[in-house]
Structure formats: structure tokens, C-alpha cells
Amino acid sequence: MQVLESLLNDFTKELGPINKTADLLNLKAKYIGKQGPLADVMKNLKDATPEEKRTIGAKANELKQQIEALFSQKMQEIELADINASLEKDKIDISLTDSMLEKGLQAAGYHPVTIIQQEIEDIFISMGFEVLDGPHIEDDYHNFEALNIPATHPARDMQDTFWFADKKHLLRTHTSTIQVRGMKERKPPFRFVGPGKVFRCERTDASHEMVFHQLEGMMVGENVSVGNLIYFMKTLLTEIFKKEVEVRLRPGFFPFVEPGFELDIKCLICGGKGCSVCKQVGWVELLPCGMVHPNVLKAGGIDPEKYNGFAFGLGLDRLVMMRYGIDDIRHLHGADLRFNSQFKSF
Ligand code: PHE
């Protein structure tokens, strides 16, 4: 009983100056651990009278609970102090002042492709389109098969594909994969766009990159016509360039549309005289499009007798180049801050 009387006092005294978790745990073990005085008392109880067992046992339990309570309280205090100390130590100044800018620190900004992508998304959202996303890694079915490009189709050679070693997966060569997933997940009528990176194993030059960006669009309903397609494309281009741009439609072949078109715009870099971007022809291929092929609708679970639609695949990089007067697509992925920092910041 004597040992117990002084135990709480001793513990409290030793507890006071402790400010580290490890020391606290040691102290707890010292007092109420297996080798500690409390355990000793309990062991010796076996030789005590039943009366002593009751009083001493009760006292010991009470003491153990008090020590545990003090221990938890101290533990919380230490943890809180640790958090406060690390907050203080890792404090960062998130205010960007003019003087910091003068020292050469730059405010972050969006990449020009992101700027254009967001603008176009907004234009389409205002015309009632959804914005969808899709995976970069695809399978044969979504990139080719469901888009009316069977295994033996020569159109497969139109797109130089990065295949994975398993020969089953690939990096998507176009955002038309988003059409396939989009159709399966909804019932007509619907309209959506799907922007994103696409990949082709091509030789790079001023107007070709292995990684570039497209924005797919699709509208399906009961009476969708070429007239609707032209209307949406013209509205889009006028909004983007903030002026009437000269366009021309040529027949174009893509297995997933029938009829298919190539929509070209008069080159805004050279005004039509010919330059490296328009490959000296004065026109830039900007917008392949067409009426969705019945086989594609079928693959998407849509009845081609009842519904039809249009689709297009807008090349975002060329649009960026036209808008900002950039004459080489390779600047876009050059990661050169002198280039990137010329665009609108947040
Ligand atoms: N997916 C085609 C490409 O990347 C573009 C396209 C999309 C053409 C939709 C027609 C309709 O070449």
C-alpha cells in the first residue's frame, strides 16, 4: 500500500518535463509495464489476506487508470506541439509580390493548347454539348474495330500506331475512341465533345508531332443533317478566331463517316500565300468530319434505321498555331519557358 501511495506522485513529477513521445512511452512502461512497481505489487498479492487483496487490488486498479489518463493527456499535448512546430517550420509564403516578379519569379499560366481546349469546351457547352474524357491506352476494338475499320482494312495503315508489346493494346491514334464509349453510355438524342492527347508513330516536322491534341465531336438524333454539321463548325470557327474565316469543304475518306469531308481554312499565318505550316498550299486541313457510318452507330448500340448523326475531329495544335502565329508544332512540346510564358496566366 505504501508503494502505491507514492507511485502517483512520483509519476506526476517525472511526467512534467517530458516533451517527446518516446520518453513518454518509456515512462509509462517504467510505471505500469510488466517489470514495473505496479506489476510487482500485483504479483505479491497472492500472499495477502482476502481483505488486503480487495483493498490493495482496488487501489492498484484505480492508480493504473489515473496513470493511463495522465499518459493520454500528455500524449495529446505532445502531438499537438509537434504539429504546431512543423507548421511553423514548413511555413511558406504564398503571396507573390511585385518585387518577387521583378526578381524573375513568374506567375504560372496555362499551356496554349489548354487555353484553346477550354475555350472550345465552353463554346460547345453553350450549344448543349457534354464534355467527355477517355483513356489514352486503348484496345483494337475501340480504336479501329468499332469505328468500321476491321483487321484487314487498308485504312489501318493511314494511322501509324504505337502498339504495346502484347499486340493488343495501343496508344489511341485519334479521339474517335471517345465516340465509341460515348454512344454506348447514352441513348439518342445526344451531343458531346471529347478532347485529348493522341499518339502517332510519325516522323516529326514543322507540322507533325508524335503527340498532339484532338477534340472529337458527335451529335446523334432523329434528323441530323450535313446542314447541322456545317452550322456547328462555322459557329465554332467564328467564335475561335473572332472573325469570319475562309473555309472550304472537300470530300474526305474516313471509314467511320459516310459521306466524309475535310474542312480546310485559309492559312492565317501567311494569308494564303504559302508557308511551312500550310505546306505552301495556302490552306490548312483543320477539321475532318462527316455523317456517322451506320456500322459505327450499330457498334454503339444505336439503330441506324431510326437515328443518324455527324462527327468531327478537330486538330487543336494547328488551331493554336493559327491563333498565335506559331510556325512550328514542335514548340508546343518543347517545354521551353521562354515559349510557354508568353501565354495568358491564370
Ligand atoms: N479520327 C479522325 C482522325 O484522327 C478524324 C475524324 C473524326 C474524321 C471524326 C471524321 C470524323 O484522323
Side-chain angles (χ1 to χ4, degrees):
M1 207 58 173
Q2 255 169 18
V3 175
L4 293 181
E5 296 293 339
S6 62
L7 215 56
L8 188 62
N9 243 335
D10 295 347
F11 179 79
T12 321
K13 240 185 251 153
E14 280 199 68
L15 185 69
I18 281 182
N19 59 10
K20 286 201 190 72
T21 319
D23 295 346
L24 182 63
L25 287 168
N26 285 337
L27 185 70
K28 183 184 175 194
K30 179 173 161 192
Y31 279 82
I32 57 176
K34 284 204 187 77
Q35 321 285 330
L38 206 60
D40 268 353
V41 171
M42 297 305 268
K43 258 180 252 153
N44 293 333
L45 266 190
K46 63 178 188 309
D47 305 326
T49 66
E51 171 64 19
E52 281 170 338
K53 272 186 190 160
R54 217 172 346 103
T55 48
I56 298 180
K59 178 77 182 159
N61 267 335
E62 187 194 325
L63 205 67
K64 191 166 176 229
Q65 280 170 14
Q66 284 170 323
I67 288 180
E68 268 167 357
L70 286 169
F71 165 82
S72 325
Q73 194 192 340
K74 185 73 171 183
M75 189 57 120
Q76 277 181 11
E77 279 169 30
I78 294 178
E79 280 170 358
L80 192 67
D82 283 351
I83 291 173
N84 283 334
S86 76
L87 281 177
E88 193 56 38
K89 189 168 118 258
D90 301 334
K91 196 153 82 181
I92 46 167
D93 181 3
I94 54 165
S95 58
L96 181 63
T97 62
D98 287 352
S99 70
M100 290 162 87
L101 287 174
E102 278 155 21
K103 280 183 209 141
L105 280 172
Q106 290 181 344
Y110 285 117
H111 189 277
V113 172
T114 307
I115 296 174
I116 289 264
Q117 183 185 316
Q118 290 178 345
E119 266 181 48
I120 297 177
E121 283 176 15
D122 284 346
I123 294 169
F124 277 106
I125 288 169
S126 77
M127 299 193 289
F129 284 69
E130 291 174 77
V131 180
L132 307 185
D133 200 4
H136 291 167
I137 298 174
E138 275 291 8
D139 51 21
D140 188 274
Y141 177 78
H142 289 89
N143 201 84
F144 296 118
E145 198 80 32
L147 289 162
N148 198 31
I149 319 176
T152 53
H153 200 290
R156 289 210 176 194
D157 299 338
M158 279 165 64
Q159 303 189 343
D160 303 291
T161 310
F162 282 114
W163 287 95
F164 281 76
D166 67 1
K167 304 261 188 342
K168 289 196 175 77
H169 292 88
L170 51 89
L171 290 174
R172 69 177 177 199
T173 59
H174 52 184
T175 44
S176 299
T177 52
I178 298 176
Q179 285 187 29
V180 182
R181 296 176 181 279
M183 280 188 290
K184 288 212 169 128
E185 286 158 10
R186 38 188 62 65
K187 298 223 169 318
F190 56 75
R191 38 181 110 166
F192 57 75
V193 290
K197 278 188 168 49
V198 297
F199 309 84
R200 289 192 202 167
C201 182
E202 289 190 317
R203 194 183 283 256
T204 58
D205 62 27
S207 54
H208 292 89
E209 256 289 21
M210 284 188 261
V211 182
F212 54 102
H213 304 81
Q214 290 185 331
L215 181 128
E216 195 76 11
M218 185 176 221
M219 175 169 173
V220 172
E222 266 179 52
N223 285 305
V224 179
S225 66
V226 177
N228 295 135
L229 169 63
I230 293 171
Y231 166 79
F232 281 111
M233 299 306 101
K234 274 203 153 168
T235 312
L236 170 71
L237 294 170
T238 321
E239 289 269 349
I240 294 171
F241 292 109
K242 310 269 184 275
K243 62 174 174 191
E244 290 275 323
V245 290
E246 248 183 276
V247 302
R248 68 177 189 190
L249 264 186
R250 290 178 288 124
F253 172 71
F254 302 93
F256 29 95
V257 285
E258 178 57 41
F261 310 105
E262 285 283 3
L263 190 144
D264 302 341
I265 66 166
K266 174 82 69 77
C267 182
L268 295 173
I269 301 268
C270 63
K273 287 197 288 291
C275 67
S276 66
V277 173
C278 61
K279 296 191 210 115
Q280 314 304 331
V281 294
W283 291 88
V284 177
E285 239 179 71
L286 199 62
L287 227 157
C289 51
M291 301 306 289
V292 183
H293 195 287
N295 288 350
V296 175
L297 290 172
K298 262 187 243 161
I302 293 165
D303 179 2
E305 300 291 329
K306 191 160 176 215
Y307 299 105
N308 61 351
F310 67 71
F312 60 89
L314 181 62
L316 294 183
D317 308 76
R318 294 211 181 137
L319 215 51
V320 168
M321 293 166 75
M322 292 287 120
R323 153 81 81 79
Y324 294 105
I326 299 164
D327 62 3
D328 194 318
I329 192 171
R330 289 166 293 194
H331 286 309
L332 296 179
H333 274 165
D336 185 336
L337 275 183
R338 287 169 306 176
F339 173 82
N340 288 354
S341 60
Q342 294 175 57
F343 305 90
K344 190 171 70 181
S345 54
F346 292 134

